[in-house]
Amino acid sequence: MISVCVNGYGTIGKRVADALGRHPDVKLVGVSKFTPDADARIAAAKGIRMFVPNENHDAFVKMGIVPAGTVEEMIDSSDIVVDAAPDKKGVKNKEEIYMPKNKKAIFQGGEKENVAEVSFNARSNFNSAKNKNYVRVVSCNTTGLCRIIKPMLDNRDDLEKISVSLIRRGADPNDSKGSALNSVEWEANSHHAHDVQTVLGPIPIKTTAFKSPQTLMHVHSISMKFRGPAPSKEDVEAIYSRESRVALLMTATSTADVIEKARDLGLARNDIFLVNLHANTVISDGGELSMSITVPQESIVVPENVDAVISMAGLMDQETSMGMTNKILGLGNIKARMESAFS
Ligand code: NAD
C-alpha cells in the first residue's frame, strides 16, 4: 500500500484523485484545496479528505467543511505527491516544497521536461519511472500521440517520418476565459514533436498546432511515411484493436458526435480516457498512411498518472498495472461500448 496525495484539485486533479481513491494498492491521503467553493462542497460530500492552507482553515469551517489538516501535513503524510497545479506552478512546488521535504512527485504536461528525471507514457515507457523521484506525465496531446505511434513502432521498423497537424481545443468546458472566439491561431513546428521524443526517443516527427474556438476535444491529423508499403486499412485496424487505451471508431464524423455518445452512454463527466482512432479517416496509399484521432483532453492522462504512481513505487509490472488501472476506470467497458456505438 502506497500513500498518495493530489496537490491541485482542478480539471486533472479531481479526476486523478477519484481514480487513485479506487485503487486497491493506493491509500489516497487527500487533496489540497485552496478556495472554499462549490468544488470543495462536492468533494466533501464524496468523503474526500481536504487539506487547506492554514490561513484558509476558518473559511472552510465557515462553509461546513472541517479540513483534515494543512497542505503541508498532507504532503508530509504521503509517499508520492501527484502535482496537478496550473502550468509552471508544479516546478515552483518542486523547488519550494517537494525537494526540501525529500518527497517523490509526479508532474503534469504543463511543466517543462526538465522538471522531472523522465517523461512518462504507460504504453511506451512504463519501466522508466521505476524508483524515480520525479516523473512527468506528458500532456494530453502527447499522450494521445504516444498511444498511436508506439504500437506502430512495435509493428514496423521502416517508419521514415511522421507529420501531425493538431487542432487543439481552445479551452476546457469549465474554463470561462478560453482562447480567441472568432479566430484559429497556429504555431508551426510546435513543441509537441519534441514532447513525443521525450518519451519515444529521437523519432522523425514534425508537428503544427492550431488552436480552435471549441472545448470538446483535440483532433489530430497524422501522416506517416514508410520506406516500404504503408500498412493497409485492415493492418491498421488489427494493430489498434489490440490496444486497450485506443478506441477504434468506424463511423464517427465529428467531435460533437463522439461527445454525445459519451453522454448517452452515461460516462461520468463524459470522460472517455481513451484516444479515439477514426477508422473512416484511414487512407493507405503507396508508402503513406494518414489517419485522424480525437483526444479527450480532460481525461486521457488520468490512467497515466495512476500507472506512474505504481511504476515509481515498483508495485507492479507494466501489464499488471495497466490492467488494474483499466479495471478501476472501466476502460474495457468504455472501449467496447464506444466501439459498438460507432461500429
Ligand atoms: P486547473 O486550473 O483546472 O486546476 C489547477 C488547480 O490547482 C486549481 O484547483 C488551483 O486552485 C490549484 N492550484 C493553484 N495554485 C496551486 C499550487 N501552487 N499548488 C497546487 N495547486 C494549485 O488546471 P488543469 O487543467 O487541471 O491542469 C493541471 C496540469 O495538468 C497542467 O500542467 C496542465 O497543463 C496539465 N494538463 C491539463 C489538461 C487539460 O486539458 N486541462 C490535460 C492534460 C494535462
Side-chain angles (χ1 to χ4, degrees):
M1 191 66 108
I2 182 120
S3 296
V4 185
C5 67
V6 177
N7 190 21
Y9 194 68
T11 302
I12 301 301
K14 65 172 81 163
R15 288 169 169 80
V16 172
D18 282 353
L20 291 171
R22 280 185 239 144
H23 200 295
D25 291 343
V26 172
K27 177 182 172 224
L28 179 66
V29 173
V31 305
S32 66
K33 191 77 188 79
F34 293 80
T35 327
D37 56 11
D39 275 350
R41 280 214 175 83
I42 293 172
K46 283 162 88 171
I48 293 177
R49 299 173 81 225
M50 242 168 292
F51 293 80
V52 309
N54 220 356
E55 61 275 17
N56 291 358
H57 179 274
D58 292 352
F60 278 88
V61 172
K62 216 183 258 173
M63 74 186 288
I65 297 170
V66 182
T70 64
V71 176
E72 190 152 341
E73 285 165 347
M74 172 184 85
I75 290 165
D76 285 338
S77 323
S78 304
D79 301 311
I80 299 178
V81 184
V82 176
D83 186 289
D87 292 2
K88 314 294 179 280
K89 287 202 174 169
V91 68
K92 228 167 149 245
N93 287 341
K94 178 187 174 189
E95 285 159 8
E96 292 173 4
I97 311 173
Y98 313 144
M99 283 176 77
K101 287 184 181 294
N102 219 356
K103 202 58 76 179
K104 288 176 182 252
I106 293 170
F107 300 94
Q108 307 303 315
E111 303 303 318
K112 290 193 173 143
E113 66 181 290
N114 62 6
V115 75
E117 295 153 276
V118 66
S119 290
F120 180 85
N121 170 254
R123 172 65 175 80
S124 307
N125 64 349
F126 180 89
N127 290 325
S128 66
K130 201 170 173 182
N131 302 322
K132 294 287 191 297
N133 291 323
Y134 302 114
V135 170
R136 180 181 73 127
V137 168
V138 287
S139 74
C140 44
N141 282 304
T142 306
T143 298
L145 285 172
C146 288
R147 286 190 194 166
I148 295 296
I149 296 170
K150 176 67 170 130
M152 189 55 81
L153 292 172
D154 287 348
N155 275 274
R156 296 284 298 246
D157 58 7
D158 62 342
L159 195 46
E160 197 172 286
K161 70 174 184 194
I162 305 171
S163 319
V164 185
S165 295
L166 299 93
I167 304 165
R168 301 171 62 195
R169 58 92 180 99
D172 283 336
N174 69 348
D175 182 352
S176 56
K177 297 185 194 90
S179 66
L181 181 64
N182 67 342
S183 177
V184 172
E185 302 161 323
W186 52 83
E187 181 194 347
N189 287 320
S190 68
H191 67 278
H192 304 91
H194 176 69
D195 218 32
V196 169
Q197 290 168 333
T198 64
V199 177
L200 293 176
I203 60 165
I205 179 168
K206 292 261 181 265
T207 53
T208 301
F210 300 85
K211 211 196 266 181
S212 63
Q214 52 90 26
T215 64
L216 298 179
M217 266 174 235
H218 302 296
V219 183
H220 299 182
S221 172
I222 303 172
S223 167
M224 295 180 178
K225 193 162 183 293
F226 296 83
R227 280 186 286 279
S232 66
K233 191 168 189 296
E234 291 70 32
D235 294 337
V236 171
E237 291 177 13
I239 291 169
Y240 293 105
S241 61
R242 294 193 290 268
E243 293 296 317
S244 65
R245 293 184 186 172
V246 179
L248 191 58
L249 307 185
M250 301 291 173
T251 56
T253 53
S254 70
T255 53
D257 204 11
V258 175
I259 207 74
E260 183 68 357
K261 300 306 170 287
R263 289 190 191 106
D264 288 345
L265 292 173
L267 304 189
R269 295 186 175 119
N270 303 334
D271 285 350
I272 300 172
F273 301 105
L274 312 167
V275 63
N276 305 304
L277 169 53
H278 296 285
N280 51 359
T281 64
V282 174
I283 299 173
S284 177
D285 182 14
E288 280 192 33
L289 174 70
S290 58
M291 56 189 169
S292 293
I293 60 171
T294 50
V295 176
Q297 76 277 357
E298 298 160 288
S299 60
I300 191 169
V301 298
V302 175
E304 311 303 320
N305 273 278
V306 177
D307 288 324
V309 166
I310 302 302
S311 177
M312 277 173 93
L315 288 181
M316 295 177 190
D317 63 24
Q318 179 183 30
E319 196 183 330
T320 316
S321 177
M322 288 182 71
M324 174 59 75
T325 304
N326 291 351
K327 189 170 156 202
I328 62 176
L329 290 169
L331 298 194
N333 190 271
I334 294 174
K335 177 175 162 74
R337 292 163 81 207
M338 289 297 287
E339 289 181 349
S340 162
F342 287 111
S343 56

